[in-house]
């Protein structure tokens, strides 16, 4: 049964539907503390229904839809997102508490991602090798089947589109579970997808709690492949769940990314970019450069400049075009972030700016700089996932590389140096999925994005992502007379 307009249903089999439990939950607006909307929360019966719809789509028309038509649909969805970008950006900004200027770039990135995979479909192809004699072999690519996708709250729209676009390009059908706090933008994307002609059942969106609804989706025997973005701890649990029955799996997990600042760098460029690299998205970013490693001779000067620039970051109403940093996702997350800062204080670090929870509504937290810090401190080892940067000195290049790699994560790193050879030398030695040299930005369609070590495995945003949603089938035969096999048959 369809639900009223002001409330958001689950999106299953091409329409908005009520959950089996009837549960509607308040969706908060973190910058105001008000309720933004009410959204249906799905449970096991809804996942069953969504997986069934996805399987029916694959067994039906979607399974026969050629790449050219899938490409046209992906472009049409990109067009629809562009046409509705204002509404989507505002929805996302209010639901996540994130500055609208950042969200606009995310919506544009989502569009580009659909366009990238619309074109990348042309690369999906098998091959045929000359094997010799009269043996004929060819391989063909087939969609892996029903993909179960789970995304977090920090970039609800962007992370969902990073997962949806390659899966749809490959010809899979999807059941996607957003975080219960941030289901709105991806529900809207699913509606737009239906409007532009994606058949019912190809895209199903079931918001719900992770340990129940999410885990059920991961274990569901009708799900062939799981793609998860979230914390390393949950990623480990998802990996365990994928072992029985065995599932294909990709994991995009946490980070504690270093930003290496050498004395020969262009500091006028490097220091503001380093401030951006942590405080964009209020530090609630997997690739946030949350450890600023600084050559010792510069340390005091850099701490002073970063502190000053951090004080100037415009924090406030996410919908104000001038705002650079909005609120955090929730008061409870803010309390967790603040706990790390208090912990650093207790370990002897100095908080040169920020580090206090103000009055007033909304889950705001100021840009915070932790100085006099060592890499073994908890604040340097654990993902804080908030607007907090830990500034750590290093002696020389070897020491910088040692410290950069001395965490369990390996998602992203940035190196600032005036010596191009040093930049490339360091890039080859850093254990992370992406290294930027004098360039703070990270994620563009076409550039593989993903982790080393406990930041996960598999790459998104790239051609190789398609392979994660495809099976390779080898077909072999003889075109001449078949030789006698060892059994003489
Ligand atoms: P989280 O792990 O708590 O939750 C992520 C998603 O998993 C949510 O949808 C949640 O409902 C679901 N979930 C929770 N428990 C589950 C379970 N047992 N089984 C199945 N699903 C479950 O993470 P979060 O706090 O929402 O997100 C922040 C984390 O995501 C950070 O660690 C961040 O670095 C990471 N992240 C990584 C990338 C990347 O590309 N590597 C991108 C964005 C965010």
């Amino acid at each position: 049964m369809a639900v009223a307009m002001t409330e958001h249903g689950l999106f299953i089999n091409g329409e908005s539907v009520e959950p089996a439990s009837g549960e509607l939950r308040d969706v908060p607006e973190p910058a105001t503390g008000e309720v933004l909307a009410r959204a249906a929360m799905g449970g096991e019966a809804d996942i069953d229904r969504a997986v069934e719809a996805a399987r029916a789509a694959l067994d039906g028309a979607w399974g026969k839809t050629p790449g050219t038509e899938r490409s046209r649909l992906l472009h049409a969805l990109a067009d629809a997102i562009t046409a509705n970008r204002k509404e989507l950006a505002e929805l996302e900004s209010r639901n996540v508490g994130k500055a609208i200027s950042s969200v606009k770039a995310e919506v544009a990135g989502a569009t580009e991602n659909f366009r990238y995979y619309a074109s990348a479909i042309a690369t999906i192809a098998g091959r045929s090798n000359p094997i010799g004699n009269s043996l004929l072999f060819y391989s063909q690519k087939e969609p892996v089947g029903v993909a179960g996708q789970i995304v977090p709250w920090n970039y609800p729209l962007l992370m969902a589109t990073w997962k949806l676009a390659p899966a749809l390009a490959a010809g899979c059908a999807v059941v996607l579970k957003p975080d219960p706090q941030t289901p709105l933008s991806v529900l809207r994307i699913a509606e737009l997808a239906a409007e532009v002609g994606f058949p019912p059942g190809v895209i199903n969106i079931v918001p719900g709690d992770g340990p129940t609804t999410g885990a059920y989706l991961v274990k569901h025997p009708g799900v062939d492949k799981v793609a998860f973005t979230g914390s390393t701890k949950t990623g480990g649990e998802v990996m365990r769940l994928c072992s029985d029955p065995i599932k294909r799996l990709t994991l995009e997990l946490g980070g504690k990314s270093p930003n290496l600042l050498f004395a020969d760098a262009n500091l006028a460029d490097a220091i503001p970019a380093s401030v951006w690299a942590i405080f964009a998205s209020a530090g609630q970013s997997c690739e946030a450069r949350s450890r600023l490693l600084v050559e010792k001779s510069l340390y005091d000067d850099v701490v002073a400049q970063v502190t000053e620039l951090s004080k100037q970051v415009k924090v406030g109403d996410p919908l104000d075009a001038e705002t650079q940093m909005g609120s955090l996702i929730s008061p409870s997350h803010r309390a967790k972030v603040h706990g790390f800062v208090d912990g650093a204080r207790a370990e002897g670090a100095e908080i040169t700016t920020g580090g206090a929870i103000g009055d007033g509504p909304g889950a705001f937290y100021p840009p915070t700089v932790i100085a006099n810090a060592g890499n073994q401190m908890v604040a340097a080892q654990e993902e804080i996932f908030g607007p907090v940067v830990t500034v750590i000195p290093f002696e020389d290049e070897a020491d910088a590389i040692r410290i950069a790699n001395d965490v369990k994560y390996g998602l992203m790193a940035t190196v600032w140096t005036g010596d191009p050879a040093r930049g490339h030398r360091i890039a080859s030695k850093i254990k992370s999925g992406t290294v930027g040299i004098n360039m703070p930005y990270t994620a563009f369609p076409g550039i593989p994005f993903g982790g080393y070590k406990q930041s996960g495995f598999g790459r998104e945003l790239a051609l190789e992502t398609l392979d994660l949603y495809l099976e390779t089938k080898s077909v072999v035969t003889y075109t001449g007379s078949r030789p006698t096999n060892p059994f003489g048959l």
Side-chain angles (χ1 to χ4, degrees):
M1 188 197 303
V3 296
M5 284 294 287
T6 50
E7 296 171 341
H8 301 261
L10 314 173
F11 194 86
I12 297 178
N13 208 21
E15 60 173 351
S16 179
V17 295
E18 284 183 0
S21 68
E23 183 190 356
L24 278 173
R25 200 177 290 176
D26 288 349
V27 176
E29 181 168 3
T32 62
E34 305 284 318
V35 174
L36 174 60
R38 285 167 63 71
M41 292 295 134
E44 295 186 358
D46 305 300
I47 293 288
D48 285 342
R49 202 160 37 138
V51 172
E52 202 178 302
R55 180 65 58 194
L58 275 176
D59 291 344
W62 181 244
K64 300 182 192 67
T65 303
T68 46
E69 174 63 5
R70 298 201 303 276
S71 174
R72 191 193 65 73
L73 285 167
L74 286 168
H75 275 302
L77 182 53
D79 290 341
I81 292 172
T82 303
N84 292 276
R85 63 190 181 281
K86 199 165 172 297
E87 175 208 340
L88 283 165
E90 195 174 312
L91 192 62
E92 186 84 335
S93 174
R94 293 183 70 186
N95 192 187
V96 186
K98 194 183 289 193
I100 189 97
S101 52
S102 307
V103 177
K104 281 181 178 168
E106 289 165 25
V107 174
T111 309
E112 285 308 300
N113 196 41
F114 280 116
R115 294 207 188 286
Y116 173 76
Y117 282 105
S119 304
I121 283 176
T123 68
I124 300 175
R127 60 194 166 86
S128 181
N129 287 345
I131 304 290
N133 300 323
S134 51
L135 188 63
L136 172 66
F137 147 79
Y138 64 90
S139 65
Q140 58 190 33
K141 298 283 184 179
E142 297 175 359
V144 80
V146 175
Q149 303 184 326
I150 296 180
V151 292
W153 49 259
N154 63 330
Y155 292 89
L157 183 144
L158 198 63
M159 290 300 103
T161 57
W162 281 20
K163 296 221 173 321
L164 284 171
L168 298 171
C172 292
V174 174
V175 179
L176 184 144
K177 191 204 80 63
D179 189 278
Q181 298 167 98
T182 52
L184 303 182
S185 53
V186 69
L187 285 167
R188 184 73 185 112
I189 296 279
E191 279 173 10
L192 293 174
E195 282 168 24
V196 303
F198 276 92
V202 175
I203 301 172
N204 305 278
I205 311 293
V206 185
D209 290 320
T212 49
T213 308
Y216 187 75
L217 173 63
V218 171
K219 284 185 298 190
H220 199 291
V223 169
D224 302 292
K225 186 235 158 48
V226 172
F228 173 84
T229 298
S231 63
T232 293
K233 186 165 180 293
T234 310
E237 175 60 17
V238 166
M239 199 166 172
R240 275 188 290 281
L241 294 175
C242 280
S243 67
D244 183 20
I246 290 193
K247 299 269 169 79
R248 279 131 196 80
L249 172 66
T250 42
L251 294 175
E252 294 283 356
L253 307 177
K256 192 72 196 176
S257 298
N259 193 4
L260 287 68
L261 188 49
F262 285 88
D264 62 4
N266 174 351
L267 298 183
D269 185 18
I271 293 178
S274 301
V275 169
W276 177 88
I278 175 63
F279 298 132
S281 293
Q284 301 171 126
S285 211
C286 52
E287 88 286 11
R289 265 46 54 78
S290 51
R291 291 184 299 144
L292 177 54
L293 314 187
V294 183
E295 192 159 352
K296 215 167 194 172
S297 59
L298 291 183
Y299 186 80
D300 290 342
D301 184 31
V302 169
V303 168
Q305 288 195 53
V306 167
T307 300
E308 192 45 43
L309 284 178
S310 302
K311 288 178 180 163
Q312 292 171 23
V313 172
K314 291 193 185 75
V315 182
D317 177 4
L319 293 176
D320 184 335
E322 298 296 309
T323 295
Q324 292 170 311
M325 209 179 93
S327 77
L328 304 195
I329 188 69
S330 63
S332 63
H333 182 63
R334 176 176 62 178
K336 207 170 128 205
V337 169
H338 187 59
F340 279 109
V341 176
D342 273 348
R345 268 194 196 100
E347 280 192 89
E350 181 191 353
I351 312 303
T352 61
T353 185
I357 296 177
D359 298 328
F364 290 94
Y365 197 76
T368 298
V369 178
I370 301 178
N372 289 341
N375 198 54
Q376 291 317 309
M377 286 182 171
V378 174
Q381 289 290 316
E382 297 298 327
E383 188 181 39
I384 298 176
F385 222 55
V388 180
V389 64
T390 306
V391 194
I392 300 163
F394 65 79
E395 298 285 346
D396 54 21
E397 189 175 313
D399 196 35
I401 293 166
R402 180 189 64 76
I403 297 172
N405 286 332
D406 188 16
V407 284
K408 66 184 173 199
Y409 300 107
L411 194 59
M412 169 75 197
T414 307
V415 186
W416 297 95
T417 174
D419 176 356
R422 169 157 43 204
H424 295 293
R425 213 161 45 231
I426 290 178
S428 73
K429 290 186 178 152
I430 297 259
K431 304 284 182 217
S432 70
T434 305
V435 181
I437 303 174
N438 297 325
M439 220 289 287
Y441 307 115
T442 51
F444 301 95
I447 301 178
F449 185 90
Y452 276 41
K453 302 193 283 184
Q454 293 191 41
S455 289
F457 50 81
R459 293 292 179 267
E460 294 196 302
L461 280 182
L463 275 186
E464 47 263 66
T465 317
L466 284 174
D467 258 337
L468 304 174
Y469 290 95
L470 292 164
E471 295 283 11
T472 300
K473 179 175 284 168
S474 296
V475 181
V476 280
T477 188
Y478 281 108
T479 54
S481 56
R482 185 164 62 87
T484 309
N485 67 31
F487 295 130
L489 300 171

